[in-house]
Structure formats: C-alpha cells, structure tokens
Amino acid sequence: MRITIDVTPRDFAALKESIKNSNPVDIAEGLEELDDQQAVKYFRMLPKDTAAEVFAYLSSGMQQNIVDAIKDFEISHIIDELFVDDAVDFIEEMPAGVVKRVLSNLPADKRDIINNFLKYPEGSAGSIMTIEYVDLKEHLTVAEAFDRIRRDGVDKETIYTCYVIDTARRLLGAVSVKTLLLSSLNDRIGDIMDRDIIFASTSEDKEGITNDFRKYGLLAMPVVDNENRLVGIVTVDDVLEVQEEEATEDFEIMAAMSPSDEPYMKTSIWKLSKNRILWLMLLMLTATITGSIIGGFEDALAVMPVLVTFIPMLMDTGGNAGSQSSTLVIRGIALEEIETSDILKVWWKELRVSVICGGALAIVNFGRILIMNRSASIGFSVSLALLVTVVLSKSVGCLLPLFARKCKLDPAVMAAPVITTIVDAGALLVFFGIAKAVFHI
Amino acid sequence: MRITIDVTPRDFAALKESIKNSNPVDIAEGLEELDDQQAVKYFRMLPKDTAAEVFAYLSSGMQQNIVDAIKDFEISHIIDELFVDDAVDFIEEMPAGVVKRVLSNLPADKRDIINNFLKYPEGSAGSIMTIEYVDLKEHLTVAEAFDRIRRDGVDKETIYTCYVIDTARRLLGAVSVKTLLLSSLNDRIGDIMDRDIIFASTSEDKEGITNDFRKYGLLAMPVVDNENRLVGIVTVDDVLEVQEEEATEDFEIMAAMSPSDEPYMKTSIWKLSKNRILWLMLLMLTATITGSIIGGFEDALAVMPVLVTFIPMLMDTGGNAGSQSSTLVIRGIALEEIETSDILKVWWKELRVSVICGGALAIVNFGRILIMNRSASIGFSVSLALLVTVVLSKSVGCLLPLFARKCKLDPAVMAAPVITTIVDAGALLVFFGIAKAVFHI
C-alpha cells in the first residue's frame, strides 16, 4: 500500500494521478522520505482538501518544515481545514514563533477554540478530544436528524454516534446511525436515544478512557465540562494511538529511559542519549552501594574466595524474579485489573509464587553445586540464600509499584532497573549473612 | 458505571429493572463477582437477547461454569446468537467435552462456519475476523443499499462500512454509511464506492493488521482468501483488544515470563509459577557461567580484593544500558518502525549513543573513585571497563532482537533478562582483562 513518489520533474502528471488515487496516510509517508525542499515542492502540488489531510499525518519536523516554507494565507487555509484535535497536536509541537504566526493567521473563532483546547492538561480527555461531532435535539424526528447529518456531516470526524443535548448544551444521551437507520422516519430522537451512555469529563486521564473504549467496544465517547455540557468527543482512531503511545511510554520508563514520542529512527543521537543518561547515572551510583556491601565482607571472601563466584547468579536471579512481579503488577495497574486496595491480596499471591519458584530453583542449584563444587554446606548456603532472595525480590517487585501508585507516582518507574538495584543489595546481605553463620567466618 | 448485583431474593424486580438499564459489559462484570451458583441463577434470569451479549463478555471460566449448568437447548440458543468471532473465542478456550456438546447442539450451518474458523492459525487475521458484515453489489442504488442495511443490519457487527463484491464474492471496494448518507438515493454503489481499500488475507499476522488500523484510522478491515473472495471482517473494537494483548504479551516475554491471557488477579499461583519458573531456571544456570568467569580470576582478586566491589556496578550498568537499546528496538520492530534491513543504521546509532552515554558515566565514575578510593589507576581501569561495557551492551542490545527477527523468532525474547546475562560475562572479561593489564597481576 506504499506510495513511492518519483521525483523526476517529467513525472508531474503521473504523480498527480497517483496522488489522486492514494490514501493521505500513504502520501504523507512518501513525503517523509523526500528531502525537505522536495517535500515542500510536492506538498504544494496537492489539491487543497487533500493537503490538509496529508498535513495531519506528517511528523512534526516535516510540518514545521512546510510551515516555514509556505505563505501565511496557505498556512491559515491548512490549519483551518484540520480537525481541532489535529490542529492542537500540531501547535503543541511547534516552537513559539511558529505558533504565533499560525494563530495570528487563523479566523478569530478557530483561534479561540484552539487557544481553549491548548489549556487542557497533557494526558487529559480534553487534550485528545475534538469538536467535530453531530449534535441533535430530543424533539427532532429521525427524518430531521438525517437532514442534519446530511447537511453538517461532511466535516465531522464521526457521524456514527450523534449526541443529544438540551438548550443549555447539557448531554442527555446518544443515538447511533444504526439506530436511526433501523427506526421509522417519524420516531422522535428523545424516544429512541440511549440515555445510559459512557462519557468522560475534560480532566479525566486518557489511560482510563482507553480502558473504557476497550471494555465497552466504543467508537466514540462524549466529553463534558463541570456543568455536564458537551464540549467534545474522543474517537476510537485516536484511542488506538493513545493506547499504543501509553504502552510505548511504559516500555521506555520500565527500561530506565525518559519516554519520547518520536519514532526511534527519527530521533537524534543526542536526544536518545539524553533520554538514557540520567537514569544510567543514577542507577550506576546506587549500584556502588551494592559494591561497598561486598567490600564489607572482604574478610569472609579472603577465607572462602569461592563465595564470590555465586554473586552474579544470586544478583541476576533476584533481579529477574523481582522484575517478573513488578512487570505484572505495573501492567495490571495500567489496565485497571489491579487496584491499590488489592495490595495484600497481591502480596500473598506473590509470596506463595515466590516460595514455589524459589524452592524449585534452590533444589536445582543445590544439585548443581553438589556436582560441581562437591560441598553440601556450600550448596545449602547458596540455595538458602537463593530462596530468600527470590522471596524478597518478588515482594519488593510487587509492592513498590503499588506504593508508587498510592503516592500518585508512575508505577512504571518501579520496574526491572530500580528493582534490580534494590534487590542486589538485599541478595548480598542475605548471602553473606547465611555464609557467615554456616561457616563461622 | 459499575453494576453491583444485589443477591437477596426479594430484589428480583429491582434486579430486572437494573439489568434492563445496564450495559451488558457491566452485567458481565457484576456476574463475575458472584459465586458460580449465584452467577448461573442470575444469568438465567436475563432476557434472551441480553444473555448472549453478556455471555460474550464473561471470562472463559465463568462461560464454562454457565455452560456446565444450563440445558443443551439453552446453550444452542446463546451460541447461535453470538457473533462468530465471539463464538470461536469461546470454543477455543473450552475443554474438548464442552466443545463437542456445544457444537452438536448448533444448527448445521453455524457449526460448519465455526469449524472453518477454528482452522485459522492463532494470531492470524482469520482467527480474529467475524462474518457479520453487510455486503452490497455494484449495480445497487443508494436507496436499495439502505433497504438492505435496514433489513440485514440489525444483526451485523458493523454497518458503517459495507463491502462491495461481485457474483463470485470477490472484493471490489467499500462504501461507508457516511458516503451513502451524503450521496443521492439514485447513485449507483459502483460509482460512489472506494476502490482503493486496505484489506488483509486470512493468514496475515494480527500485529500487522493492528498497525494498519492505527496508521489509517480504520473502523473495520475486510479479510479475503487466496482467490480474493471476501470471507470476513475485522472490527476496531477487537483490534483495540488485540493491540492491548500484544503489548501485554511483549511486557511478559520481555520480563522473562511465558505470556498468559488471563488477568493477574484471576490467575492461579500454580499457573503464575509455571509461567515464570522455566525462564528463571534457564537464566540462573546461564548466570553460573558468569560466576565461573569470576572464579577464573581468583588470583587477581586475591592480590587486589578491592576489584570485587566494582562488579555489581559494572554488571548492573551493562544490563541497564543493553536493555535500554533492546527495548527500543523490540518496540520499534513491533510497531513496524524498524525493519531488519535497518540493522546497520540502528547499530551505528547505538554505537554513537553508547559512546556518549558510556563516556559520561566513565567520567563521573572516575571522579567518584578518585574521591572515595584515592587511586587514579583504579579509577582509570574501572572507567575504561565501564565505557567498553556500555558500548558492548548497547551493541548486543540492539543487534540481538534484529537477529531474532531475521531468524523468525520473537524479538521480545531478546530483552533485559537475556541481554543482562550475556552482558554480565562480557563486562567481567573486559574488566579483569583491563585490570590485569594495568596492574600486571
């Protein structure tokens, strides 16, 4: 489905033809592969209505490149044609100078709407909603509703769910086009609309909205203000993107990086480095604490140097066991399957799982040491330390994300890297404690 | 939006009223919180058409509980009412005895369809599609299309995109209800339909389909067989779920667990343990190799016991640096932002990022050792080892997922736990190699 734009001038006609039959998404993708100047050249050849649609799908880098290169009245046309949510997304990514230039070239009413939308906090329903919906009144008939959809529908982001409001714009219900089509033309909207609808307030978190879309299989969700007035809708295509972005963000945070919404291949090495270096630094410095714990047991190691060979296995297993638990809990919290009130249930579950896993690992480990080191007492000490480490790690792994959530922090921070660093120290203290007791060193 | 079902008998009337106004998703959620017997009792009180819908949203455990408790003809009614994709999902989770009983009680045509759908491989478009779509012929007028939608639409999973097929059921195009509504009633479907549509074949991977839905903002996608005949559609509500499940699966695999599609709170401790123990065991045994590497440098450690205190910092930093890279690459592959052909570009990017990150860490680390250990030569050795470790880790971290992909393995396996174990050994070899050279031990 990919369009490759041929950039030889003699192909203008062919290009125009190929654009006519192409999806705006594919045209945008084709433009991204050209250099900046050529992309602008081809962008300006697009028919006006296609141009705005293609613009919405471009990366913010390419959007800025185009805005920098074209005339003010052209910008004004494109931004005015965009759905409000796309216009807001675009403006949020632009430097202040560009924003000023764009806004000052818009019609006053559109500028006011965009300025209002820019005030909604990042991650809220308000920040991802749009205003291109169809609203109906209770007293309309189905026939009148169809007239209204035919008249206004062409510029709406969805017409398949229409929202019913009163004269004060308060949300009363919703009616789907399917219901309209299956009703008689004389039915009143107020009689056929669904009053039990799922809606969001502007300040609601977009992650919760995503979960509601998935749970109820929604195509759109109305968004209301504090007075229950309809101010916008969120559509499923945006939710699909939000869900992907939220997961990617968690993947990145859980791997000790600052999240970024640029695709990897388009991110500069400076940005990539910046996103990684702070966490690496912090974790490196914390890990030196673990090092000094080993330093404190230098005497024991001098007597039994073999002990040092078990350190990587204990540290790695502890880290792995802990991050298994933290991953499940973090994901469970994100999907609203685990609540902070479940903390004791989760802990009890993890305690039993950790005894089963730790026990099995300890037995295998004991066997291996018996064969390779031929010492039951070493085998016993290491295996006991292993069991305690696994139990400890899984407790830390399941509890920390829930504590983070309780403190209104992002649970995803409490993932493998942080858990590993904490658990390392615990594993070593347990190990040397047991070894000292068993071998009287 | 949650319904709490009151289980005192005198509230039957209230219950019926509350059910009448409730979303089937909420009723299903309410039933899940009852014990098995009560859930069956309340399920049987549901109106027939609600029952099938509620059934589709129940967990497979509760579905089996209900099927075990009710009569054959009741089952047959429910399964026949389900959309085919929900029926197939249900049957795939049931034990053989239940499947036999359910299928033998279905009408022959429905049984044949379900049997056919059961043959599509897991994770393919065929396995998530359904057959409840509206198909149209080219020669129909818009008015005739509306008649057809009004007649057949009530039982369709979506009516908003209708698919146009020829007499051999080959897919010709699609037309949205929006286009129908905005066209004149006399227009021919063949003239207004969109011929440039995005479709999938039955064997296509569902992850790629999810990416297409997100990229093109689709509500539904037609699925065709080898002869380009329309055999089903995938709808966006299922894609929202697939996208969530794929991410969850990757989170679990990347944390060294066998993936599970049950929610955490509903998974037994035996299942949880089983999903974790094999990977823990494998990684534990691999980590003993790292231990024996330290063992090989016992002489060096005997001369300079302080060296051991740097091991946790080197191992942890290597693991963190590597898993940052592997996480970004794994996620990039899943979202189709990174292709295996990008391997050299990615490596070159990671090499530069690793020199920047590793360099910064080495400088800070050198300063810390100078202050705390008062030895420039120790500081130099450890910091050089740190830099090499970070470069090595990021290379391993970015290359292994791409190699896995090339070998048709799941790149998510090459995440933090595997990378850490590999990188640990490398870090120690580098460290002791440098230390031996610097200190002539």
Side-chain angles (χ1 to χ4, degrees), chain A residues 109-156:
Chain A
D109 56 337
K110 190 81 171 214
R111 187 167 58 232
D112 288 348
I113 292 171
I114 289 180
N115 271 326
N116 259 330
F117 270 56
L118 287 169
K119 284 182 207 139
Y120 293 114
E122 211 191 311
S124 68
S127 74
I128 55 168
M129 71 184 182
T130 193
I131 54 161
E132 286 83 6
Y133 55 84
V134 177
D135 53 37
L136 301 173
K137 294 278 174 357
E138 271 188 294
H139 62 80
L140 293 181
T141 64
V142 170
E144 288 166 333
F146 274 126
D147 285 344
R148 195 178 158 89
I149 292 173
R150 287 207 178 85
R151 202 177 60 231
D152 298 343
V154 64
D155 288 332
K156 302 305 181 190

XYZ file of all heavy atoms in Angstrom, chain A residues 109-156:
389
model
N -12.629 32.841 15.433
C -13.358 31.802 16.175
C -12.529 30.535 16.302
O -12.462 29.900 17.360
C -14.710 31.518 15.506
C -14.550 31.120 14.046
O -13.518 31.472 13.435
O -15.452 30.450 13.509
N -11.838 30.165 15.218
C -10.997 28.976 15.258
C -9.844 29.186 16.240
O -9.472 28.281 16.989
C -10.447 28.698 13.842
C -9.767 27.362 13.693
C -10.779 26.237 13.488
C -10.116 24.945 13.118
N -10.911 24.142 12.195
N -9.297 30.393 16.229
C -8.177 30.689 17.137
C -8.632 30.548 18.589
O -7.923 29.977 19.423
C -7.670 32.102 16.869
C -6.401 32.442 17.642
C -5.750 33.699 17.124
N -6.648 34.845 17.184
C -6.933 35.656 16.168
N -6.367 35.457 14.987
N -7.749 36.660 16.315
N -9.842 31.043 18.897
C -10.349 30.941 20.264
C -10.505 29.488 20.694
O -10.138 29.107 21.804
C -11.711 31.648 20.376
C -11.537 33.156 20.304
O -10.375 33.618 20.404
O -12.551 33.857 20.129
N -11.073 28.688 19.780
C -11.261 27.274 20.105
C -9.920 26.617 20.396
O -9.739 25.924 21.395
C -11.966 26.547 18.934
C -13.407 27.051 18.800
C -11.950 25.041 19.151
C -14.106 26.561 17.539
N -8.951 26.858 19.512
C -7.643 26.220 19.682
C -6.988 26.692 20.977
O -6.447 25.894 21.747
C -6.748 26.494 18.456
C -7.290 25.689 17.266
C -5.298 26.135 18.744
C -6.520 25.859 15.988
N -7.065 27.994 21.250
C -6.491 28.501 22.490
C -7.126 27.844 23.705
O -6.444 27.533 24.679
C -6.670 30.023 22.571
C -5.501 30.731 21.914
O -4.365 30.242 21.978
N -5.763 31.858 21.281
N -8.430 27.627 23.646
C -9.117 26.940 24.740
C -8.620 25.517 24.906
O -8.370 25.047 26.010
C -10.624 26.898 24.448
C -11.338 27.961 25.242
O -10.895 28.306 26.328
N -12.416 28.482 24.696
N -8.485 24.814 23.773
C -8.060 23.411 23.820
C -6.631 23.289 24.333
O -6.280 22.290 24.958
C -8.177 22.776 22.424
C -9.520 22.161 22.172
C -10.669 22.904 22.305
C -9.635 20.818 21.809
C -11.918 22.340 22.076
C -10.879 20.256 21.584
C -12.023 21.010 21.709
N -5.803 24.293 24.033
C -4.408 24.225 24.476
C -4.300 24.273 25.998
O -3.283 23.897 26.566
C -3.597 25.377 23.856
C -3.283 25.232 22.356
C -2.725 26.529 21.792
C -2.311 24.079 22.110
N -5.378 24.707 26.674
C -5.329 24.836 28.136
C -5.534 23.505 28.851
O -5.227 23.389 30.037
C -6.411 25.831 28.599
C -6.030 27.280 28.340
C -7.129 28.202 28.865
C -7.151 29.507 28.092
N -8.517 29.974 27.803
N -6.087 22.500 28.162
C -6.337 21.230 28.837
C -5.005 20.550 29.147
O -4.111 20.511 28.307
C -7.200 20.310 27.975
C -8.605 20.833 27.805
C -9.077 21.242 26.564
C -9.461 20.934 28.905
C -10.361 21.735 26.406
C -10.751 21.427 28.752
C -11.199 21.824 27.503
O -12.461 22.311 27.362
N -4.862 20.014 30.371
C -3.575 19.411 30.737
C -3.240 18.200 29.851
O -4.134 17.478 29.395
C -3.778 18.986 32.194
C -5.245 19.019 32.444
C -5.843 19.969 31.468
N -1.953 18.004 29.617
C -1.484 16.879 28.812
C -1.980 15.569 29.423
O -1.957 15.396 30.635
C 0.044 16.878 28.798
C 0.627 16.327 27.513
C 2.111 16.085 27.630
O 2.825 16.999 28.083
O 2.539 14.969 27.283
N -2.442 14.673 28.577
C -2.879 13.379 29.089
C -4.327 13.371 29.526
O -4.844 12.339 29.933
N -5.032 14.514 29.451
C -6.436 14.550 29.852
C -7.327 14.298 28.641
O -6.891 14.411 27.497
C -6.779 15.914 30.445
O -6.717 16.903 29.438
N -8.593 13.963 28.914
C -9.561 13.785 27.837
C -9.626 15.050 26.976
O -9.691 14.986 25.748
C -10.933 13.468 28.423
N -9.580 16.218 27.644
C -9.643 17.485 26.926
C -8.541 17.612 25.885
O -8.747 18.190 24.807
N -7.365 17.049 26.184
C -6.234 17.215 25.267
C -6.333 16.327 24.032
O -5.603 16.529 23.072
C -4.921 16.936 26.001
O -4.761 15.547 26.214
N -7.192 15.312 24.046
C -7.278 14.435 22.871
C -8.645 14.514 22.181
O -8.883 13.842 21.190
C -6.969 12.950 23.211
C -7.872 12.433 24.338
C -5.518 12.766 23.583
C -7.812 10.912 24.508
N -9.542 15.348 22.711
C -10.878 15.396 22.106
C -10.906 16.329 20.898
O -9.970 17.072 20.641
C -11.916 15.851 23.135
C -11.806 17.294 23.521
S -13.005 17.684 24.823
C -12.685 19.434 25.029
N -11.987 16.258 20.156
C -12.168 17.168 19.038
C -13.603 17.671 19.070
O -14.434 17.157 19.833
C -11.818 16.494 17.697
O -11.713 17.492 16.695
C -12.881 15.468 17.300
N -13.903 18.706 18.267
C -15.258 19.272 18.365
C -16.123 18.917 17.161
O -17.256 19.349 17.067
C -15.226 20.809 18.506
C -14.414 21.415 17.358
C -14.704 21.233 19.838
C -14.728 22.884 17.166
N -15.578 18.137 16.235
C -16.343 17.849 15.018
C -17.293 16.662 15.227
O -17.046 15.553 14.763
C -15.392 17.586 13.843
C -14.717 18.825 13.310
C -13.483 19.227 14.094
O -13.081 18.466 14.991
O -12.926 20.303 13.809
N -18.354 16.899 15.981
C -19.370 15.872 16.203
C -20.727 16.421 15.755
O -20.880 17.626 15.539
C -19.427 15.460 17.676
C -19.646 16.613 18.615
C -20.928 17.090 18.881
C -18.577 17.246 19.222
C -21.129 18.168 19.712
C -18.784 18.343 20.061
C -20.048 18.793 20.295
O -20.255 19.872 21.124
N -21.690 15.511 15.627
C -23.048 15.934 15.272
C -23.879 15.972 16.548
O -23.927 14.982 17.279
C -23.681 14.944 14.267
C -25.126 15.346 13.966
C -22.859 14.859 12.994
N -24.520 17.110 16.842
C -25.420 17.117 17.990
C -26.871 17.251 17.519
O -27.159 17.852 16.493
C -25.051 18.197 19.010
C -24.927 19.562 18.379
O -25.706 19.868 17.470
O -24.038 20.328 18.776
N -27.751 16.622 18.272
C -29.176 16.608 17.934
C -29.975 17.064 19.149
O -29.467 17.059 20.267
C -29.602 15.185 17.544
C -28.879 14.534 16.358
C -29.303 13.068 16.231
C -29.175 15.279 15.060
N -31.234 17.427 18.884
C -32.138 17.786 19.988
C -33.188 16.680 20.134
O -33.568 16.031 19.159
C -32.821 19.133 19.694
C -31.847 20.323 19.679
C -31.589 20.793 21.083
C -30.552 21.879 21.282
N -29.800 22.395 20.211
N -33.687 16.533 21.365
C -34.650 15.478 21.687
C -35.904 15.496 20.821
O -36.468 14.463 20.498
C -35.116 15.642 23.142
C -34.286 14.929 24.163
C -34.978 15.012 25.511
O -35.099 16.133 26.060
O -35.423 13.965 25.998
N -36.368 16.723 20.497
C -37.672 16.821 19.834
C -37.602 16.519 18.336
O -38.627 16.426 17.671
C -38.260 18.228 20.054
C -37.409 19.303 19.452
N -37.426 19.617 18.119
C -36.472 20.092 20.024
C -36.542 20.571 17.893
N -35.952 20.881 19.034
N -36.384 16.379 17.784
C -36.259 16.107 16.343
C -36.810 14.728 16.007
O -36.792 13.817 16.838
C -34.795 16.163 15.913
C -34.066 17.510 15.970
C -32.635 17.337 15.479
C -34.788 18.561 15.130
N -37.285 14.581 14.755
C -37.635 13.252 14.278
C -36.402 12.644 13.623
O -35.416 13.335 13.351
C -38.749 13.316 13.220
O -38.229 14.036 12.094
C -39.987 14.003 13.746
N -36.484 11.343 13.343
C -35.379 10.656 12.673
C -35.114 11.304 11.310
O -33.959 11.521 10.929
C -35.696 9.154 12.542
C -34.686 8.461 11.636
C -35.713 8.494 13.916
N -36.198 11.645 10.601
C -36.027 12.269 9.288
C -35.262 13.583 9.406
O -34.329 13.856 8.637
C -37.384 12.507 8.637
N -35.623 14.390 10.423
C -34.923 15.661 10.622
C -33.463 15.441 11.019
O -32.566 16.191 10.620
C -35.645 16.488 11.697
C -36.973 17.058 11.200
C -37.868 17.578 12.339
O -37.735 17.071 13.494
O -38.679 18.475 12.084
N -33.244 14.379 11.806
C -31.870 14.056 12.206
C -31.040 13.728 10.968
O -29.898 14.186 10.824
C -31.867 12.886 13.184
N -31.606 12.928 10.055
C -30.881 12.597 8.824
C -30.578 13.860 8.005
O -29.495 13.992 7.444
C -31.669 11.592 7.974
C -31.412 10.173 8.374
C -32.468 9.312 8.698
C -30.110 9.667 8.420
C -32.226 7.998 9.073
C -29.868 8.351 8.791
C -30.934 7.516 9.127
N -31.544 14.775 7.968
C -31.294 16.031 7.253
C -30.091 16.757 7.846
O -29.232 17.259 7.127
C -32.526 16.963 7.335
C -33.637 16.483 6.412
O -33.328 15.650 5.533
O -34.793 16.910 6.597
N -30.088 16.795 9.155
C -28.994 17.498 9.824
C -27.654 16.798 9.547
O -26.648 17.457 9.297
C -29.273 17.525 11.332
C -28.408 18.534 12.034
C -28.718 18.611 13.525
N -27.550 19.172 14.188
C -27.342 20.473 14.369
N -28.230 21.338 13.947
N -26.244 20.914 14.964
N -27.648 15.481 9.602
C -26.406 14.734 9.326
C -25.961 14.997 7.891
O -24.782 15.230 7.629
C -26.619 13.223 9.558
C -26.845 12.940 11.049
C -25.428 12.427 9.033
C -27.236 11.512 11.361
N -26.910 14.983 6.956
C -26.555 15.221 5.550
C -25.984 16.614 5.370
O -25.062 16.817 4.599
C -27.793 15.061 4.653
C -28.217 13.620 4.487
C -28.954 13.350 3.172
N -29.270 11.929 3.084
C -30.358 11.369 3.623
N -31.263 12.114 4.244
N -30.555 10.066 3.523
N -26.541 17.588 6.117
C -26.105 18.977 5.957
C -24.744 19.214 6.606
O -23.863 19.830 6.019
C -27.161 19.901 6.603
C -27.138 21.335 6.087
C -28.248 22.151 6.719
N -28.113 22.184 8.174
C -29.079 21.894 9.039
N -30.262 21.537 8.614
N -28.859 21.946 10.352
N -24.577 18.698 7.850
C -23.374 19.042 8.619
C -22.317 17.939 8.626
O -21.178 18.170 9.011
C -23.739 19.305 10.095
C -24.671 20.473 10.231
O -24.765 21.249 9.267
O -25.292 20.614 11.303
N -22.741 16.750 8.220
C -21.914 15.566 8.477
C -20.596 15.515 7.742
O -19.644 14.900 8.206
N -20.505 16.191 6.598
C -19.340 16.008 5.750
C -18.052 16.403 6.460
O -17.007 15.801 6.260
C -19.527 16.747 4.403
C -19.621 18.252 4.602
C -18.425 16.392 3.431
N -18.115 17.405 7.336
C -16.903 17.872 8.016
C -16.727 17.275 9.408
O -15.882 17.742 10.167
C -16.937 19.404 8.147
C -16.706 20.066 6.806
O -16.030 19.453 5.962
O -17.211 21.185 6.611
N -17.537 16.292 9.770
C -17.458 15.758 11.124
C -16.494 14.582 11.179
O -16.361 13.834 10.220
C -18.838 15.304 11.599
C -19.888 16.412 11.583
C -19.463 17.633 12.388
C -20.545 18.709 12.364
N -20.067 19.983 12.927
